[in-house]
Amino acid sequence: MADIQLPDALLVKNYVEGDENALTVLINRHQSKIFGFIYSKISDRDISNDIFQDTFIKVIKTLKSKSYNEEGKFLPWVMRIAHNLIIDHYRKNKKMPMFRETEEFSIFSIMSDDSLTIENKIIREQVEIDLKKLIEELPADQKEVLIMRMYQDMSFKEISEITGVSINTALGRMRYALMNIRKVIDKHQIILTN
Amino acid sequence: MAKIYSKKALAIPTMKPKKETISFLLNYSKALSIIKGKTMSFEVMAN
């Protein structure tokens, strides 16, 4: 059988006149290019299938309503419809492209975990232990104010009420507590870091 | 002898829509008829 390839324009004309097979030929002829184009922008097979379907629904409606007037430019016309539907898709989804895990692409390359690593957790725990030891060395009145302020999150007003001293005295004790801790750290060259 | 520097293009699998999608479109096309009036058009779907 002779492999006669009818031009797109003729197939479109035949389809508009009622030849349903012409549409089958047009879809078979251009499906790879159109689907490949959609997939290159969407990277999701299911959504690409949906957009491909919507594209051809528009094509069918336009041709059946005899509104098509771009003879000879069938493929670029269909591509333009697909392109517009792709833009609509991203608009609807608030321009957030969806990522799917593939062999070449790992979702973890764009995600980060802000929590501490095991190593950093251990360092942090060690720092807290060292700091507590330093606090234990402080004079009782300074230690009391510092613990209330830093560990119990109390205001200086509350501290002054509980300890029975003025706010200024509480502030002063806190200041001396910090100064003394810094002194010990400098003296013994303690490194507290994370 | 001249060397051939160009590499054979890596095979890219052809991307095609699902068979069901194509089948749906062809059936949709067969079922749809559009009747155009003076100011508006009507879509008729045959069962």
Side-chain angles (χ1 to χ4, degrees):
Chain A
M1 198 177 90
D3 184 17
I4 303 162
Q5 202 178 22
L6 295 173
D8 287 353
L10 189 58
L11 287 167
V12 169
K13 187 174 168 284
N14 290 348
Y15 177 66
V16 170
E17 286 169 1
D19 179 7
E20 290 291 332
N21 286 332
L23 181 71
T24 313
V25 178
L26 282 168
I27 290 178
N28 285 338
R29 188 179 287 174
H30 299 300
Q31 60 173 334
S32 297
K33 271 187 185 166
I34 297 162
F35 189 80
F37 169 72
I38 297 167
Y39 187 78
S40 72
K41 309 280 181 209
I42 299 288
S43 304
D44 182 291
R45 269 183 189 270
D46 292 334
I47 298 169
S48 297
N49 264 294
D50 288 348
I51 294 177
F52 181 89
Q53 186 174 296
D54 290 347
T55 302
F56 270 93
I57 285 174
K58 279 205 168 190
V59 168
I60 290 164
K61 280 186 180 174
T62 309
L63 293 178
K64 290 230 171 189
S65 63
K66 299 182 172 60
S67 311
Y68 176 71
N69 55 8
E70 285 186 293
E71 276 181 50
K73 295 176 195 166
F74 178 75
L75 183 61
W77 173 61
V78 181
M79 291 288 219
R80 208 162 53 244
I81 294 172
H83 179 253
N84 290 339
L85 289 172
I86 290 164
I87 292 171
D88 287 351
H89 164 76
Y90 279 121
R91 273 197 197 128
K92 262 187 243 162
N93 292 282
K94 292 177 186 169
K95 295 172 192 169
M96 285 289 286
M98 185 179 163
F99 295 105
R100 282 239 169 129
E101 183 110 353
T102 64
E103 277 181 28
E104 300 89 36
F105 173 76
S106 166
I107 193 72
F108 294 109
S109 66
I110 57 162
M111 281 171 72
S112 62
D113 181 8
D114 291 334
S115 62
L116 292 172
T117 60
I118 297 292
E119 190 189 353
N120 286 340
K121 261 186 199 167
I122 294 168
I123 294 171
R124 190 193 171 130
E125 281 167 17
Q126 192 60 51
V127 167
E128 283 171 4
I129 291 166
D130 291 346
L131 200 55
K132 274 183 185 165
K133 280 182 191 163
L134 292 172
I135 292 166
E136 287 301 318
E137 298 301 316
L138 288 171
D141 54 350
Q142 292 172 22
K143 188 170 84 178
E144 186 184 35
V145 173
L146 189 136
I147 289 170
M148 283 178 170
R149 179 74 192 120
M150 304 309 290
Y151 290 92
Q152 294 164 3
D153 204 26
M154 292 163 81
S155 69
F156 282 104
K157 191 171 178 282
E158 287 167 331
I159 294 168
S160 72
E161 282 165 6
I162 292 167
T163 55
V165 295
S166 69
I167 292 177
N168 275 341
T169 307
L171 280 165
R173 285 178 182 173
M174 181 72 189
R175 185 166 164 262
Y176 279 106
L178 295 175
M179 277 167 65
N180 285 329
I181 287 177
R182 282 201 193 103
K183 248 189 228 171
V184 179
I185 288 170
D186 286 344
K187 192 179 169 187
H188 299 285
Q189 294 184 323
I190 300 166
I191 298 164
L192 298 170
T193 183
N194 194 357
Chain B
M1 204 175 106
K3 286 180 180 172
I4 299 167
Y5 289 98
S6 57
K7 272 188 182 173
K8 198 181 168 187
L10 290 167
I12 299 164
T14 45
M15 302 284 296
K16 281 187 178 180
K18 283 182 196 164
K19 280 183 183 171
E20 299 87 69
T21 307
I22 304 291
S23 168
F24 166 81
L25 285 167
L26 296 175
N27 288 330
Y28 173 80
S29 170
K30 279 175 196 163
L32 180 74
S33 54
I34 294 177
I35 302 161
K36 266 192 145 183
K38 275 186 185 173
T39 53
M40 57 180 78
S41 59
F42 303 96
E43 288 175 18
V44 181
M45 292 295 292
N47 279 322

